[in-house]
Amino acid sequence: MIEAIIFDFGDVFIDLNKQAIETEFRKLGLTAWHDDLDALNKEYEIGKIDELEFMQGFQKHLPNIELVDIRAAWNSILGDFPLYRLEFLQMIASKYRLFLLSNTDHTHIEKFEHKVGQTFARDFYSCFEKVYFSYEIGLRKPDENAFKYVINNHNLSPKKTLFIDDKKENTDVAERLGLQVWNLIPGTDDVTQIFDKKIIS
């Protein structure tokens, strides 16, 4: 019997346009995604560096590009957040303990809130008992400590907790820790199909 659900954010609730971010950075002159950019992203996602340091890290590869343009390219990954997903969440909020656990950064969250508006963002956040962003807690999936952080903070029973994420590396770790999991496939699955697919009954 599932009592709690831990959701990922990107490609579960908000659609991510990975092609757009690649296209936008190519337009700025970034020919390849360098290893140091990957490391930079991970540092920013756990709050080790601030937004300026992150953007300046990109600027080393794009010396003639303004920070504001780098920021716009970085945010181009954020797609739509359909209203029906929020309504679904509001419908199940009284039946389960809900949590959000997302690998994300300050820039993307600020852009999301601006994009959907304060009311929508507030309605979304209010569905959860607690929202956990990696840049605020200093932990990111698939580090098992990120999962333990949520489980321990709320005395959750792993076997009665469902974790939903679009990345298999994350659901694999959660499963090893004893959680029930759904590795949602973007474009094929939708979070609102949770009952239709018999993920929970």
Side-chain angles (χ1 to χ4, degrees):
M1 179 72 179
I2 296 297
E3 294 174 355
I5 308 173
I6 303 171
F7 294 93
D8 179 32
F9 184 31
D11 267 341
V12 172
F13 290 112
I14 190 169
D15 295 327
L16 297 182
N17 191 342
K18 288 162 186 154
Q19 191 56 52
I21 194 170
E22 207 176 292
T23 303
E24 292 306 309
F25 272 114
R26 201 176 297 121
K27 280 185 200 167
L28 297 182
L30 192 71
T31 51
W33 188 264
H34 304 273
D35 287 346
D36 67 322
L37 290 178
D38 200 43
L40 191 75
N41 180 27
K42 284 174 178 164
E43 279 197 312
Y44 190 33
E45 276 192 349
I46 56 170
K48 280 270 180 72
I49 56 173
D50 63 21
E51 184 182 71
L52 182 60
E53 290 171 293
F54 177 64
M55 298 299 167
Q56 286 173 336
F58 265 96
Q59 213 171 29
K60 286 176 187 168
H61 297 279
L62 301 164
N64 302 317
I65 305 298
E66 298 290 329
L67 293 176
V68 66
D69 295 322
I70 293 171
R71 193 175 197 270
W74 183 246
N75 279 332
S76 67
I77 194 170
L78 299 177
D80 293 331
F81 186 146
L83 178 62
Y84 71 85
R85 288 188 190 142
L86 174 60
E87 290 170 342
F88 160 77
L89 201 58
Q90 289 170 325
M91 180 188 75
I92 66 166
S94 60
K95 300 173 186 166
Y96 302 94
R97 297 179 68 189
L98 305 183
F99 303 90
L100 192 71
L101 177 61
S102 173
N103 288 353
T104 190
D105 58 65
H106 170 73
T107 307
H108 280 161
I109 293 307
E110 190 176 69
K111 177 65 177 178
F112 155 68
E113 291 173 357
H114 178 73
K115 187 175 170 136
V116 300
Q118 283 185 338
T119 304
F120 188 103
R122 190 173 58 241
D123 288 350
F124 174 58
Y125 294 147
S126 69
C127 291
F128 301 100
E129 195 170 314
K130 184 77 176 164
V131 169
Y132 290 102
F133 293 137
S134 58
Y135 76 94
E136 292 179 330
I137 64 173
L139 296 164
R140 69 189 295 282
K141 302 167 291 184
D143 181 347
E144 64 179 39
N145 290 318
F147 300 99
K148 288 176 179 175
Y149 190 83
V150 180
I151 291 164
N152 295 339
N153 274 0
H154 302 279
N155 295 316
L156 301 180
S157 164
K159 69 175 186 288
K160 293 179 180 176
T161 301
L162 173 67
F163 172 64
I164 302 172
D165 199 291
D166 65 303
K167 290 191 170 63
K168 192 168 187 303
E169 63 192 38
N170 296 338
T171 53
D172 284 351
V173 171
E175 198 166 28
R176 279 207 306 274
L177 292 172
L179 285 89
Q180 308 297 312
V181 300
W182 178 20
N183 177 212
L184 182 151
I185 311 300
T188 301
D189 302 326
D190 195 285
V191 70
T192 58
Q193 298 169 326
I194 198 167
F195 300 109
D196 301 340
K197 289 182 178 281
K198 306 283 193 290
I199 307 299
I200 50 179
S201 51

